[in-house]
Amino acid sequence: MSETMGKATGLTRRGFLKTTALAAGALSAAGVLSSMTGCAEQQSGDPAPAVEEQVFSGVCRGNCCQQCFLNFHVREGKVARTSMRPFIDERYNRICMKGYAMPEKIYSPHRIKYPMRRVGERGAGEWEQVSWEEAIAAITDKWKQLREEHGPNSVAFVTRTGQHGTAFRVAYSRLVAMFGGSVMNIAADVEFGQGLFDTIGLPAANDQSDYVNARTFIFQGSSFTESTYHHWHFVREAQKNGCKIIVIDPVYTGIASKADIWVPIRPATDSALFMAMINVAIENGWIDWEFLKKNSVAPYLVKKADGMFLRMKEVGGAEDDATPVAIDAATGEWGPATEVADPVVEGEHTVEGIEVVSPWDLLLESISEYTPAVAAEICDVPESVIREITEIYCTNGPSSIKVGLGPDHRHYGSTHYAASGIFAIVTGMLGKPGCCHGYISGSYAYESAGINVPDGAEPLAPTYMVAPSQFPEIMETGMYAGAELPLKMIINYGNDFVRGRGNRQETIKALEKLDMLVSINLEMNDTSLLADIVLPVCEWCEYEEVNGAATYYPFINYQEKVIDPLYESKSDFDIVKLLFEGMGHPEWFDWELPDLFTRYYGEELYARIKEEKCVYHQYWEDGGHRYIYGEDGAWGTLTGKLQFYTEVPLPYSYTPYGRERSIDVLRTPHFMLPNEAWNETAGGYEANPLSQKYPLIMQETHAKWHSQSNFVRMGILQELNPEPTVRISKKDASDRGITTGDYVRVYNDRGHVVLKAVVNNGIRPGIVDMPNGWVADQFVEGHFIDVQTDSTDENVENASFSDSLVQIEKYEVSK
Ligand SMILES: Nc1nc2c(c(=O)[nH]1)N[C@H]1C(S)=C(S)[C@@H](COP(=O)(O)OP(=O)(O)OC[C@H]3O[C@@H](n4cnc5c(=O)[nH]c(N)nc54)[C@H](O)[C@@H]3O)O[C@H]1N2
Ligand SMILES: Nc1nc2c(c(=O)[nH]1)N[C@H]1C(S)=C(S)[C@@H](COP(=O)(O)OP(=O)(O)OC[C@H]3O[C@@H](n4cnc5c(=O)[nH]c(N)nc54)[C@H](O)[C@@H]3O)O[C@H]1N2
Ligand code: SF4
Ligand SMILES: [Mo]
């Protein structure tokens, strides 16, 4: 039920648009903001509101993940504006310009209005409108035919993070679970996941409200004030209390401008830096041995033969006793680690004839060559700075490390997270107020087992995980992982498949070989532009939804149905229903929305969510909360302990496709050269010869004014951020005669893109940076993904967009 807020300002929807357009054209950002929120109206002392306004609760559910709580203000049946709706804990109350831009998103001319079928060349933008019946039949007839002729894996589902609603997730996962087939989800943020899971465990990080307790805060590869801005005020509060901020980033970012120390590191070298910092901590006696004995794998013993921990069952214990063995420091006797109060944590030993070594020794062996002097060369960070930041972190605690996704988008990205994680582990800066390492707190899944598969039903086929990096090869050879994979059709939803891989030209070539590409979306994103069938999805406020699946906040929030679906759009839930029907199995998805929420959250919680609109997550309320991650001694690793040595790295989620993992690289900290983007000879490593032709490292950051591609077409935000840009250092720009505002061509052998240059004195020479999210038709020519690599390292299936070398030149735009 909505709440009626008396009378509003008398502005009709048209009046509202006129105001914003004027404001957008003539005023500062603050002016735009105030007119969008209605503040301007209130300040101007307008007469009493003449139009009744209803207010509904809702959630901004794009992939910024902050999942802000919104009021949708409806006048005369239309969403006139959005405003911040208070959470049940006011410390989290925030929304951003994108949240305010929601009305424009809803009424955007770029929305897909009805189902469409491609009639011209792929990508030519020629479409015919078709009915829902025709569109669904075209999809399901093809799907059935392909299953029959080539097997279920000939159809691939691809999704990622476009939408975080519960109904969205549950509906599609049931569709995929019941029909089976290939799953080729975009692999991003996985290097990060690997590095974190293997060391700190997931979910890492304390709740953001704990940031105020830190006395030192390191930001590693995080454009915090652009991508995670609602957390900034907690850090600012800490800073007011004397917290020191250290930012490790090749770019002088917003957060760097607030820092005490900015460390403009050479990209892809963080692991060397943190290994040196561990060495400095050891030299100075800053290792927290008591913490390590209690919380980490320090007491365990690694078998020299296979790198696995020695377990009781191997030395005469019960057959199923997997308790690791430890040696008592006082007696020299060995026994189950759980019973050894003061364990030996160093040295080589023999237990029952089995040669073992302490994990600590293996850590030392890995890091010993990365002295501050060596790391200084590799990272281009002075030795004195390495020592200084280590000292601050270790002696001015409690200390936290906030990692961002910068190093993730690089080859061997996991090593950078593992190394900084291990630095936090060995210094004992975890599991206490003000001490954490990681990205977000919590990853909240309710019991979804059993709701993927209807009671008594049997899935028609299993799902088959396919690595998206292999897509072009699969289309070329019809083979994957040494077996035939005749991939013929892709169903893409809540994701932009074409934008999510690197090397767009390769993707486009490969797409040509598909029988059918289906895009289920709100707007014409890069994949929709190239699709055969496009289905129009409702905006987030046009149906009931609950947001509890992925959020940085400790809340579940309720999205009321605010307005009827515009045009011919349908919710993802209803689209999935139609697909089940088209496939001849309506009985497998015969729920209405409330049935789904009841199954997922339980009757009582769902009733509360509807009534209260914002409730704490279960984990917060019933003891399982992660306010201080690890406070209870429970760490989310495979061993349940903090791992500065990783016995079994997080397994691949993809069917292996012929590559052998370098397990050693995952077990202890390692510095690994990037695959491509190494453009200077440094630290004893030769520059990649390709850098003579393409001397600049291209990297991407997440743009402040859109959430990946969500909001990227909003005019009001384009007033602040009108078009795609490339940021370039003063030196690299002047070497090429480039000034701010020039159009430039960025290119390499993979392709090129033409976009506007912004000369920025805060970027390391040798790097160009492109904020992401823009869609193909917004570039002058090409696309920034045309120059990006689609390669991945052998350890982790993850797109390494930023491991790319480019050249850049001035470009004359013909008018
Ligand atoms: N080249 C390049 N690729 C990248 C990245 C990069 O930096 N560069 N970043 C990577 C990262 S970190 C991530 S997390 C992924 C994210 O990759 P994506 O999942 O592609 O991310 P988004 O752009 O947020 O969302 C994709 C699409 O979801 C659509 N969408 C929004 N709401 C709904 C809905 O309710 N229903 C449906 N059906 N669709 C909806 C949006 O319109 C949008 O086009 O991309 C990765 N890919
Ligand atoms: N406004 C907005 N917010 C978002 C998103 C969005 O698109 N827009 N996307 C969301 C998603 S899906 C994600 S994954 C996050 C990502 O957001 P962040 O975690 O902030 O990650 P990025 O923006 O990719 O890059 C962060 C920083 O890493 C630096 N960097 C690059 N390479 C390296 C390196 O090798 N070492 C170090 N130390 N630094 C490096 C870059 O210069 C950049 O400043 O943001 C989320 N929030
Ligand atoms: S884009 Fe992110 S920060 Fe902005 S309102 Fe939406 S959820 Fe909040
Ligand atoms: Mo991401």
Side-chain angles (χ1 to χ4, degrees), residues 106 288 548:
I106 298 163
D288 188 341

Side-chain angles (χ1 to χ4, degrees), residues 190-441:
V190 191
E191 292 276 1
F192 153 85
Q194 180 89 42
L196 243 61
F197 182 81
D198 288 348
T199 54
I200 307 280
L202 292 175
N206 298 351
D207 183 75
Q208 54 191 284
S209 57
D210 173 58
Y211 293 174
V212 297
N213 297 316
R215 297 275 300 159
T216 296
F217 224 118
I218 295 184
F219 290 85
Q220 179 197 1
S222 160
S223 51
F224 193 69
T225 47
E226 283 75 33
S227 64
T228 332
Y229 23 84
H230 295 341
H231 300 196
W232 159 245
H233 71 97
F234 291 112
V235 178
R236 177 74 186 122
E237 226 172 286
Q239 194 178 32
K240 282 189 197 148
N241 297 332
C243 176
K244 291 253 183 295
I245 296 181
I246 298 163
V247 170
I248 301 169
D249 197 305
V251 178
Y252 189 69
T253 53
I255 183 80
S257 75
K258 306 289 178 222
D260 296 273
I261 300 177
W262 170 46
V263 183
I265 190 170
R266 176 176 283 124
T269 64
D270 298 49
S271 62
L273 176 75
F274 281 99
M275 283 194 274
M277 289 167 72
I278 298 170
N279 278 317
V280 174
I282 293 170
E283 254 173 64
N284 287 281
W286 292 327
I287 302 303
D288 188 341
W289 278 111
E290 283 318 303
F291 177 83
L292 284 181
K293 285 177 189 172
K294 202 161 155 240
N295 293 282
S296 81
V297 296
Y300 301 172
L301 302 163
V302 181
K303 286 179 286 171
K304 285 189 180 173
D306 61 6
M308 301 294 285
F309 292 129
L310 181 67
R311 294 197 148 77
M312 287 303 292
K313 61 185 174 189
E314 296 166 276
V315 287
E319 225 171 84
D320 58 350
D321 189 356
T323 315
V325 175
I327 300 173
D328 192 307
T331 64
E333 303 274 310
W334 59 266
T338 40
E339 289 168 24
V340 174
D342 185 18
V344 166
V345 290
E346 287 175 278
E348 301 191 357
H349 316 273
T350 305
V351 177
E352 299 287 288
I354 302 170
E355 290 192 355
V356 292
V357 57
S358 294
W360 184 256
D361 287 42
L362 296 173
L363 174 68
L364 292 187
E365 195 182 307
S366 252
I367 65 172
S368 59
E369 71 180 273
Y370 297 94
T371 60
V374 168
E377 290 294 316
I378 296 174
C379 310
D380 195 18
V381 175
E383 204 182 317
S384 59
V385 172
I386 299 177
R387 292 185 181 281
E388 186 187 1
I389 60 176
T390 312
E391 180 171 356
I392 295 173
Y393 178 89
C394 294
T395 63
N396 190 48
S399 301
S400 283
I401 301 178
K402 161 83 188 175
V403 295
L405 275 299
D408 172 89
H409 306 336
R410 301 185 178 280
H411 262 238
Y412 300 109
S414 74
T415 60
H416 307 303
Y417 301 103
S420 64
I422 291 171
F423 176 60
I425 293 172
V426 300
T427 52
M429 293 294 184
L430 292 167
K432 292 171 272 207
C435 291
C436 71
H437 175 283
Y439 187 64
I440 51 169
S441 62

Side-chain angles (χ1 to χ4, degrees), residues 662-699:
S662 314
I663 296 292
D664 284 355
V665 173
L666 298 173
R667 278 187 159 161
T668 53
H670 273 75
F671 167 66
M672 303 295 287
L673 263 198
N675 183 48
E676 180 174 310
W678 190 256
N679 59 355
E680 293 171 292
T681 295
Y685 300 93
E686 287 288 321
N688 180 351
L690 188 68
S691 63
Q692 284 170 10
K693 200 169 162 197
Y694 303 122
L696 302 168
I697 296 174
M698 194 263 11
Q699 70 167 37

Side-chain angles (χ1 to χ4, degrees), residues 452-532:
N452 274 351
V453 178
D455 301 333
E458 274 289 318
L460 289 188
T463 52
Y464 184 60
M465 295 299 287
V466 174
S469 65
Q470 303 304 295
F471 173 59
E473 206 179 311
I474 294 165
M475 296 313 294
E476 186 65 37
T477 62
M479 299 288 289
Y480 174 69
E484 280 185 20
L485 179 57
L487 193 56
K488 302 285 180 191
M489 176 170 174
I490 289 179
I491 302 178
N492 188 218
Y493 53 95
N495 164 257
D496 191 350
F497 175 62
V498 174
R499 198 183 48 82
R501 284 177 28 82
N503 204 345
R504 191 180 69 119
Q505 291 303 328
E506 283 290 310
T507 310
I508 293 173
K509 258 191 266 165
L511 287 176
E512 283 299 336
K513 302 188 183 98
L514 286 176
D515 285 11
M516 186 180 276
L517 173 63
V518 179
S519 175
I520 307 177
N521 212 301
L522 299 159
E523 290 174 18
M524 294 304 282
N525 66 0
D526 284 338
T527 309
S528 308
L529 290 168
L530 294 165
D532 298 288

Side-chain angles (χ1 to χ4, degrees), residues 60 64 66-68 95-96 98-99 229-230 707:
C60 186
C64 122
Q66 289 168 111
Q67 312 286 289
C68 294
I95 68 169
C96 83
K98 288 171 276 183
Y229 23 84
H230 295 341
S707 308

Side-chain angles (χ1 to χ4, degrees), residues 161 163 189 496 499 520-521 525 572 700 709 772 788:
T161 50
Q163 148 77 281
D189 307 338
D496 191 350
R499 198 183 48 82
I520 307 177
N521 212 301
N525 66 0
D572 288 285
E700 275 199 29
S709 55
N772 79 7
Q788 292 176 3

